[in-house]
Amino acid sequence: MEKLGIFMRVYNAKPYLEQCISSVLSQSFSDFDFYIVDNGCTDGSGEMLDRYAIEDKRIKLTRYDRNNPDTMPFYCLIQEKDHPYIAVLDSDDWWEPDYLARLLTFMQENDLDISMTGTINYYESVNGSRINRKLERPVIMTQKQYAERYPIYWGFSSTYWGNIMKAEIYKKINIGEACGKVPGYGQDTGLMLHYLEHCSRIGIDNSALYHYRIRESSVSYHYTPLRFDANVGYTACIRSFLEKNNALDGEKRAWLRRVHIAAVSATAEALGQSGLPLLDMLREYGRIASHPMTIDALESRSQESTRWRSQIGEFLISNLNGKDADSFHLVKQIVNAMAPKCTAAITQELLPLFFKESNLLDMVLRDCRDELAKSLLDFVAENKYTKLYDLGTALSGLAGDGSPLAEIHDVGFMRKYQDIYWEIWIGHLEKALDMMTGLLLEKKVKNKQEIFLQLYLSVSALQNEAPAFIFGKLRLAELYLRQDCRKECQAVVDELTEMGLDSEELSELRQTLEEKS
């Protein structure tokens, strides 16, 4: 075996350094240089590093006067050193004693360009561990095979720790380009994909030798303004890697959507705990929701997208009353992106109802237009909320411009003819037309007659039912005549005449109009 370079960056990790560094120095394979960057520590970590460096000459210490959140200099440092193999770890994690020996042996015996191991998650809050990823048997693949199976194995290469790499391949990476594609948080994940693009043989051992500490103070669980941009950049890097290997099929596109939404959900969770002012959080939620990648991902229903929609709903209900004009504008932006079919129902006047009846907001965010309409129509039937909120306008907006219901705003009509209204809503126009014709023939339309007849005409026109259309026009003319709306009646009579209708009813209407003039 040949000498290896180990690299670690430290910033204020004093409680974890002893366990981390000891796990490296006590490795069964000991021929390495351990490069540690003190990234401007202020908690006493620097003094600990000094002592370790004095005690073990394998430690090569670099110190920055102040913290630099940019990881690019660290990645460049790795490229500058001359070692055949590279290993990286985070300063709050640790290795099993045979981590280096096993991965190096696996790499050299199988002529690998990267040798990966599984991970054991340590949950600091409960002081317990669980294996996060581990294979039953070792797997060796070409780059193309790895790309084809990427959704299965991607977790092993989603970070730059948990593996051993070849320095000659790492030096081929354009660090600036790789970091530029994934800004801020998550650059290591993009960096690994750039590394894999240069690999011919990729191996994953059937071991779990890396202990990954999960703690609430970790940067992985905090919100930063670039976090969502990093999510987008990382997903784009995965897509590029798959495309270069001709492996981006429909199944992986669907998987990528789930990956993006899962990352969005984690970002939203961090955002909700960020302590930012409400309007700033809403702007960020809106930016995330309206991003083309998010909109595309939401088109496919999945557990991840359901969770994201629920998060948004819980946040809005917990933080808003819907009355503030600025917040309404931002809420509307979110709904426009997430629920294009339901967004017409969201008005500033009606928004408080959606917070009062949280199941309605859930329907909106799931973009369940029919379900939402049915619930609002049930409120109308029960005469619930109709004096407080304009449910008629909400329903007409939901119906959309192409629907014969778009012009119906009258909740009294909706209540009286609920069954007919719903049949039209769900597209059963023929059935609705039969129901309406029956009521007209039996002279049972006593209220809201003009609205009823106008709707009847719209439905009969959509169904290309000329006899029904003419029948409806004659009933409308008669109604206008009874109401002494002679001008409107004359317009209907003229229209029927232009259509070529020659009937006794039309003649009687024409004669009555002449007598009244």
Side-chain angles (χ1 to χ4, degrees), residues 12 40 71 96 101 133 167 197 216 272 322 345 357 365 418 422 431 436 498 506 515:
N12 289 354
T71 54
E96 285 292 303
R133 46 182 176 254
E197 288 178 357
E216 292 182 358
E357 297 280 351
L365 294 176
Q418 183 183 8
W422 186 246
K431 181 177 180 180
M436 297 178 83
E498 289 176 8
L506 185 60
E515 292 173 354

Side-chain angles (χ1 to χ4, degrees), residues 56-117:
D56 197 310
K57 298 305 179 183
R58 292 175 296 179
I59 294 178
K60 316 295 181 183
L61 188 58
T62 299
R63 174 160 286 125
Y64 295 160
D65 292 335
R66 63 185 65 181
N67 177 252
N68 181 6
D70 186 6
T71 54
M72 185 171 168
F74 179 66
Y75 302 143
C76 291
L77 172 70
I78 298 174
Q79 277 193 332
E80 292 167 4
K81 302 303 178 182
D82 190 19
H83 293 277
Y85 301 106
I86 296 167
V88 183
L89 81 159
D90 283 349
S91 57
D92 55 352
D93 300 338
W94 70 98
W95 289 339
E96 285 292 303
D98 60 341
Y99 178 92
L100 294 178
R102 181 155 181 163
L103 289 185
L104 275 171
T105 299
F106 184 50
M107 173 176 268
Q108 293 177 337
E109 288 182 350
N110 296 283
D111 190 26
L112 302 176
D113 295 317
I114 184 169
S115 170
M116 294 180 275
T117 183

Side-chain angles (χ1 to χ4, degrees), residues 303-340:
Q303 290 181 346
E304 292 81 3
S305 63
T306 298
R307 182 187 177 206
W308 159 244
R309 292 177 192 274
S310 297
Q311 280 179 299
I312 293 292
E314 290 168 6
F315 173 80
L316 294 178
I317 290 171
S318 300
N319 292 280
L320 294 175
N321 58 23
K323 296 178 181 177
D324 180 77
D326 291 333
S327 66
F328 170 73
H329 170 73
L330 295 167
V331 170
K332 188 73 172 179
Q333 179 189 2
I334 294 170
V335 175
N336 280 340
M338 297 183 64

Side-chain angles (χ1 to χ4, degrees), residues 250-446:
E251 184 178 335
K252 291 186 188 66
R253 290 180 192 277
W255 172 80
L256 264 180
R257 292 187 181 102
R258 296 195 299 273
V259 168
H260 175 73
I261 288 296
V264 160
S265 182
T267 297
E269 186 173 339
L271 176 61
Q273 300 172 2
S274 66
L276 286 173
L278 176 60
L279 291 182
D280 287 344
M281 282 198 280
L282 279 173
R283 289 188 188 95
E284 187 65 358
Y285 273 118
R287 185 173 78 93
I288 293 170
S290 58
H291 191 281
M293 197 177 285
T294 306
I295 293 173
D296 175 65
L298 284 175
E299 289 181 0
S300 59
R301 303 289 178 173
S302 64
Q303 290 181 346
E304 292 81 3
S305 63
T306 298
R307 182 187 177 206
W308 159 244
R309 292 177 192 274
S310 297
Q311 280 179 299
I312 293 292
E314 290 168 6
F315 173 80
L316 294 178
I317 290 171
S318 300
N319 292 280
L320 294 175
N321 58 23
K323 296 178 181 177
D324 180 77
D326 291 333
S327 66
F328 170 73
H329 170 73
L330 295 167
V331 170
K332 188 73 172 179
Q333 179 189 2
I334 294 170
V335 175
N336 280 340
M338 297 183 64
K341 297 175 185 175
C342 291
T343 187
I346 301 296
T347 64
Q348 189 168 350
E349 293 73 23
L350 199 61
L351 194 58
L353 173 61
F354 288 90
F355 293 131
K356 183 181 296 185
E357 297 280 351
S358 59
N359 61 315
L360 294 182
L361 184 60
D362 177 65
M363 294 172 197
V364 169
L365 294 176
R366 288 188 287 111
D367 209 16
C368 296
R369 172 180 166 273
D370 290 351
E371 191 177 341
L372 176 62
K374 187 64 171 66
S375 294
L376 293 178
L377 196 59
D378 287 343
F379 287 157
V380 169
E382 298 164 9
N383 206 19
K384 184 178 180 181
Y385 296 126
T386 54
K387 293 182 179 180
L388 292 174
Y389 304 107
D390 188 355
L391 301 185
T393 298
L395 281 162
S396 66
L398 278 175
D401 293 338
S403 169
L405 301 175
E407 300 302 320
I408 307 294
H409 299 264
D410 191 302
V411 292
F413 176 86
M414 295 174 182
R415 185 180 304 116
K416 183 169 182 60
Y417 301 108
Q418 183 183 8
D419 292 343
I420 291 172
Y421 187 96
W422 186 246
E423 292 298 337
I424 295 173
W425 186 281
I426 61 178
H428 295 171
L429 300 186
E430 184 177 356
K431 181 177 180 180
L433 191 61
D434 287 344
M435 294 168 69
M436 297 178 83
T437 301
L439 291 176
L440 287 169
L441 289 172
E442 295 171 13
K443 301 186 183 302
K444 291 184 177 180
V445 181
K446 304 297 184 182

Side-chain angles (χ1 to χ4, degrees), residues 151-220:
I152 301 173
Y153 300 119
W154 76 297
F156 290 92
S157 61
S158 62
T159 63
Y160 68 164
W161 44 256
N163 60 70
I164 289 180
M165 297 174 277
K166 283 185 176 179
E168 63 179 296
I169 294 178
Y170 188 88
K171 290 178 186 293
K172 295 178 181 179
I173 300 173
N174 184 324
I175 299 294
E177 179 184 351
C179 291
K181 289 182 178 178
V182 186
Y185 166 79
Q187 284 185 339
D188 59 331
T189 56
L191 191 78
M192 281 305 302
L193 283 164
H194 280 261
Y195 182 90
L196 291 173
E197 288 178 357
H198 298 285
C199 292
S200 297
R201 289 174 61 79
I202 297 166
I204 306 173
D205 187 39
N206 62 329
S207 57
L209 306 174
Y210 192 100
H211 293 265
Y212 175 64
R213 186 185 303 270
I214 297 176
R215 53 191 175 94
E216 292 182 358
S217 59
S218 170
V219 68
S220 301

Side-chain angles (χ1 to χ4, degrees), residues 8-18 21 36-55 59-65 91:
M8 182 173 75
R9 194 170 73 139
V10 179
Y11 178 65
N12 289 354
K14 185 177 179 180
Y16 317 109
L17 281 181
E18 182 177 357
I21 294 176
I36 303 177
V37 174
D38 175 357
N39 194 22
C41 294
T42 59
D43 68 339
S45 295
E47 290 75 5
M48 287 185 66
L49 294 175
D50 285 335
R51 290 197 298 273
Y52 275 112
I54 291 171
E55 293 171 2
I59 294 178
K60 316 295 181 183
L61 188 58
T62 299
R63 174 160 286 125
Y64 295 160
D65 292 335
S91 57

